[in-house]
Amino acid sequence: MKRHDTPPEVAAVLARHVPRNISSLLDPSVGSGVLISPFVNRLSNSGRITCVDISPEAIAEAKENLGNLSVQGSRLEFVVDDFLNWSEKNKRKLVEAFDVVVLNPPFAGKLDEWCCAPSEIRRFRSRVPLEIAFLFRSIELTKPGGSVLAIVPASVISGEQTRWVREALLKMGAIKFVRELPLSTFPGVECRFYLLIYVKGTQSQHSVLCNHDLDGKE
């Protein structure tokens, strides 16, 4: 499956939505590390960053890009593994372990690329696109009151067949912010993508919706 790294300007917009002094941060599909880079300086002195990717080449690249950015006293961990398998194997210690999860997940455009639904959403569907599996597993690994900051396709935000996704999200927390990304964000990919800012275990009557002007006021 082709990798689509996050443009730095998109990563910078996402980083506006997290507090300083994060104690634990996860990127479940780290790629080259571009997405997580602007979050590193928001880590507390004793914090930890966990970077996961199925590709050894991606992890090597992320190590090179992130190695000099870590805050003094913080711990930077790199894991070469499939995120869904890794998190399932280590579920007992990983559930509600992270303050913030930031992700640009793999996207499965074809039915034969779908995967078995994680246990937390199996009551809704038995098989789901990878991006939906990554999103809900990330929420499970986030502490109550913690944030999940994700890049998601239009199907998650507005697809009629994925209405159940939004209903499930709103039962588990609050969709605080949705921003449309420019069509050219990922070259060669025609699908519309969005930034999703989600807070676990809280309720809100309002969500902020923004268009694709990344430099515009929120």
Side-chain angles (χ1 to χ4, degrees):
M1 189 173 293
K2 186 177 180 181
R3 193 178 94 193
H4 297 283
D5 285 330
T6 308
E9 60 271 20
V10 173
V13 171
L14 269 179
R16 299 175 192 167
H17 296 277
V18 295
R20 296 195 177 275
N21 296 318
I22 301 169
S23 64
S24 50
L25 176 64
L26 168 68
D27 187 334
S29 51
V30 71
S32 65
V34 173
L35 176 57
I36 205 170
S37 294
F39 293 81
V40 172
N41 63 5
R42 294 174 182 264
L43 203 71
S44 63
N45 288 338
S46 59
R48 60 187 173 89
I49 302 173
T50 302
C51 302
V52 182
D53 204 287
I54 196 170
S55 166
E57 293 77 15
I59 288 294
E61 194 174 348
K63 283 183 179 179
E64 183 176 351
N65 292 335
L66 296 172
N68 295 326
L69 295 178
S70 56
V71 177
Q72 185 176 6
S74 65
R75 290 174 291 144
L76 194 55
E77 177 187 12
F78 295 93
V79 178
V80 179
D81 206 342
D82 173 83
F83 168 63
L84 296 175
N85 290 337
W86 170 77
S87 56
E88 188 66 34
K89 289 183 295 186
N90 299 281
K91 204 167 186 176
R92 183 171 296 181
K93 70 176 182 180
L94 291 175
V95 169
E96 298 188 346
F98 297 95
D99 293 331
V100 176
V101 180
V102 57
L103 69 154
N104 176 7
F107 299 99
K110 302 176 182 178
L111 282 174
D112 60 4
E113 295 174 340
W114 288 24
C115 64
C116 292
S119 56
E120 53 269 24
I121 56 170
R122 208 162 289 156
R123 64 186 183 276
F124 298 105
R125 295 289 190 279
S126 60
R127 292 184 63 80
V128 295
L130 279 171
E131 62 269 19
I132 291 177
F134 268 62
L135 177 60
F136 280 97
R137 178 57 55 82
S138 295
I139 292 171
E140 186 182 26
L141 304 190
T142 304
K143 297 175 182 178
S147 299
V148 174
L149 297 85
I151 298 173
V152 297
S155 58
V156 172
I157 299 301
S158 59
E160 185 58 34
Q161 297 300 316
T162 51
R163 180 187 293 269
W164 68 270
V165 171
R166 298 183 291 280
E167 291 175 349
L169 288 173
L170 291 172
K171 288 178 181 178
M172 300 164 62
I175 298 172
K176 303 293 288 186
F177 191 95
V178 175
R179 182 188 286 277
E180 184 182 42
L181 289 177
L183 272 174
S184 59
T185 297
F186 299 106
V189 181
E190 294 182 1
C191 176
R192 177 71 78 181
F193 288 91
Y194 293 79
L195 302 182
L196 173 69
I197 313 300
Y198 183 82
V199 180
K200 179 178 177 179
T202 64
Q203 296 296 314
S204 176
Q205 298 296 317
H206 304 285
S207 298
V208 177
L209 308 178
C210 292
N211 67 16
H212 57 265
D213 179 10
L214 294 181
D215 296 323
K217 293 183 178 180
E218 296 169 2

